[in-house]
Amino acid sequence: MNCNTQPCPVDCEWEYEQFGECSKSCGEGIKTRYPRITVQPQHGGQDCPLFVQNQEPDTTTCNNSPCPVHCEWKYGEYGECSKTCGGGTKTRFPVIITQPQHGGRACPAHVIDGEPDSTSCNPLECPIVCGPGQTGCPNEAGELVCIDDKDGDCIPDTQDNCEEVFNPDQSDMDRDGVGGACDNCLQLYNPDQTNSDNDETGNECDPDDDNDGIVDQYDNCQTVVNRDQKDSDRDRFGDACDNCKSRSNANQADFDGDRVGNACDNCRFYPNPNQLSSDPSTYGSLCTTRPSNVDMMGMEDENEDMDKKNMAAQIMEKLLEMYYSS
C-alpha cells in the first residue's frame, strides 16, 4: 500500500544579481548588487535568510585608480608701469596653480615657458610745470598749456562758477552763477551767498539766519543775534539792527548812508555818523557849516535851506512808510 504521500519540503534557494555600474569612473567608487530568490520555500522547507527577504544590498569598491588631475593656471598681478605718464607698459606672468597628474591635461606651452603678457598704461601726456594757481590743460589742438585754474578742473578761473573747488561739470541748479560745489544754498537763487551766522547754510536756505534760536519768520532782526528781541521804538526792527533805536523808523530810511536813520540823523544829506553839533540847533555841524547847502537850494539863508531839506525828508519818509505798510 502507498505511504508518506504528502509532498516533500522545498527549501528556499537564492542568489545575488550582477553588480551594477560603479559610482565613479576613478578615485574609488562603489558598485552594488541585490539578492534574488530563485525558489520559494514550500511544505515546511527552510525559509530564506532575512537579508534576502529584505533585499539588503551588497556593495564593494571599484575603479580604485586615481583620477587624472588637469593643469590649472592663471596670470599674476601686473607689475608697475614703465612710465608714470606719456604711455608705458606693464607686465604679468603666468602662474601654475596645480600640476597635471595621472594622465591629466598638460599646461599650455606659454605657461610652462613663463611667457609674459604686457599691456599699455599711463597713456596721458606728461604734465607741464605751471606757476602757482595754474593748471596744465589741453587746448583745442590737444597740446598742454598752463591756464589760471586754482581748482585744477581745466576751466579758467574767469569762466569757473566755483573757482576754488573742483567742479568740472559746472552744475548750478538755482542758476545764480555760483556753482553747486560751493553754493551755500543749492536750491534757491542767492548770488550774494549771504551767510550771517557763518554756518554751512546761506540765509536763503537757513530758517534762522543769525542762529540765535529765533526763526526768521518771528525774528525782528534776522541777521544779527538778538535773543531778547528788544525793540525800544516798537517799529518792528530790533535794537540790534535798528539804525534809529529811539524813534520809530519802520522803513529804515538813511539818505546819506551813514548808518544813522533819518529819524535820528541831525544831518540827513551828508554822512555824519558821529552826529556832532557845534551849536544848540537841531542840525549837525556838517549841515550848518557846508556852504554847498546854499548853492544846492539856491537860497541865502542856510537854516531855511535845511528846514526845507528836512521837510522834504519827512515827506519822503512818510511816503516810504505808506509803501511798506501797504
Side-chain angles (χ1 to χ4, degrees):
M1 64 185 301
N2 294 330
C3 62
N4 293 333
T5 57
Q6 73 275 14
C8 293
V10 177
D11 295 332
C12 170
E13 294 184 16
W14 65 277
E15 65 180 2
Y16 275 112
E17 296 177 345
Q18 296 294 322
F19 278 107
E21 293 184 359
C22 193
S23 61
K24 293 183 180 181
S25 60
C26 60
E28 191 173 303
I30 295 175
K31 59 183 179 179
T32 304
R33 63 180 180 176
Y34 293 88
R36 179 171 61 85
I37 298 173
T38 58
V39 176
Q40 292 288 349
Q42 297 181 52
H43 315 304
Q46 186 176 5
D47 288 335
C48 298
L50 286 177
F51 75 89
V52 174
Q53 295 179 39
N54 296 333
Q55 291 280 293
E56 293 179 7
D58 174 47
T59 60
T60 186
T61 59
C62 53
N63 294 333
N64 296 324
S65 58
C67 294
V69 177
H70 302 306
C71 170
E72 293 184 15
W73 68 278
K74 69 175 184 179
Y75 276 113
E77 298 293 331
Y78 279 109
E80 294 185 1
C81 192
S82 60
K83 293 183 180 180
T84 57
C85 58
T89 56
K90 56 184 179 180
T91 304
R92 61 182 181 176
F93 294 88
V95 178
I96 296 175
I97 301 172
T98 304
Q99 293 285 355
Q101 298 180 54
H102 313 302
R105 187 170 50 251
C107 297
H110 75 278
V111 174
I112 297 174
D113 296 338
E115 295 180 5
D117 172 56
S118 299
T119 187
S120 59
C121 53
N122 295 337
L124 297 179
E125 293 186 22
C126 294
I128 57 177
V129 179
C130 299
Q134 291 188 324
T135 303
C137 300
N139 59 15
E140 294 180 357
E143 301 169 339
L144 289 179
V145 295
C146 291
I147 63 171
D148 293 329
D149 177 26
K150 297 184 185 69
D151 55 9
D153 57 8
C154 284
I155 298 174
D157 291 341
T158 55
Q159 302 171 22
D160 197 336
N161 61 18
C162 186
E163 62 184 51
E164 294 188 359
V165 180
F166 187 82
N167 63 332
D169 59 0
Q170 294 289 285
S171 174
D172 183 12
M173 293 173 58
D174 52 10
R175 299 182 181 180
D176 58 4
V178 182
C182 56
D183 196 335
N184 61 22
C185 182
L186 292 174
Q187 300 84 11
L188 300 176
Y189 185 87
N190 63 332
D192 58 1
Q193 295 288 287
T194 303
N195 186 7
S196 302
D197 53 6
N198 294 320
D199 59 3
E200 295 180 356
T201 307
N203 288 3
E204 288 296 327
C205 290
D206 196 339
D208 182 11
D209 293 342
D210 53 10
N211 200 26
D212 60 1
I214 302 172
V215 296
D216 295 343
Q217 182 180 359
Y218 303 105
D219 197 338
N220 63 16
C221 187
Q222 298 176 2
T223 58
V224 180
V225 175
N226 62 331
R227 294 183 176 86
D228 59 4
Q229 295 288 288
K230 186 176 181 181
D231 181 12
S232 301
D233 52 11
R234 298 183 181 180
D235 59 1
R236 296 186 180 180
F237 278 86
D239 290 354
C241 57
D242 196 338
N243 63 16
C244 182
K245 300 179 179 61
S246 58
R247 296 182 183 179
S248 178
N249 58 335
N251 54 38
Q252 295 288 287
D254 180 14
F255 292 159
D256 54 11
D258 59 2
R259 297 186 179 181
V260 180
N262 291 348
C264 294
D265 200 339
N266 63 16
C267 183
R268 301 179 183 180
F269 300 96
Y270 300 106
N272 63 331
N274 53 23
Q275 296 289 289
L276 293 178
S277 179
S278 57
D279 58 30
S281 71
T282 58
Y283 304 115
S285 301
L286 195 61
C287 282
T288 58
T289 58
R290 287 181 71 98
S292 58
N293 287 339
V294 177
D295 298 335
M296 287 175 59
M297 300 300 293
M299 298 182 178
E300 297 295 331
D301 187 352
E302 195 172 58
N303 289 333
E304 183 180 353
D305 177 29
M306 290 308 304
D307 287 340
K308 289 190 176 184
K309 285 185 178 180
N310 287 330
M311 184 178 296
Q314 291 174 6
I315 293 172
M316 181 62 70
E317 284 184 17
K318 193 65 177 177
L319 290 173
L320 287 172
E321 287 179 2
M322 292 171 64
Y323 171 77
Y324 282 107
S325 63
S326 61

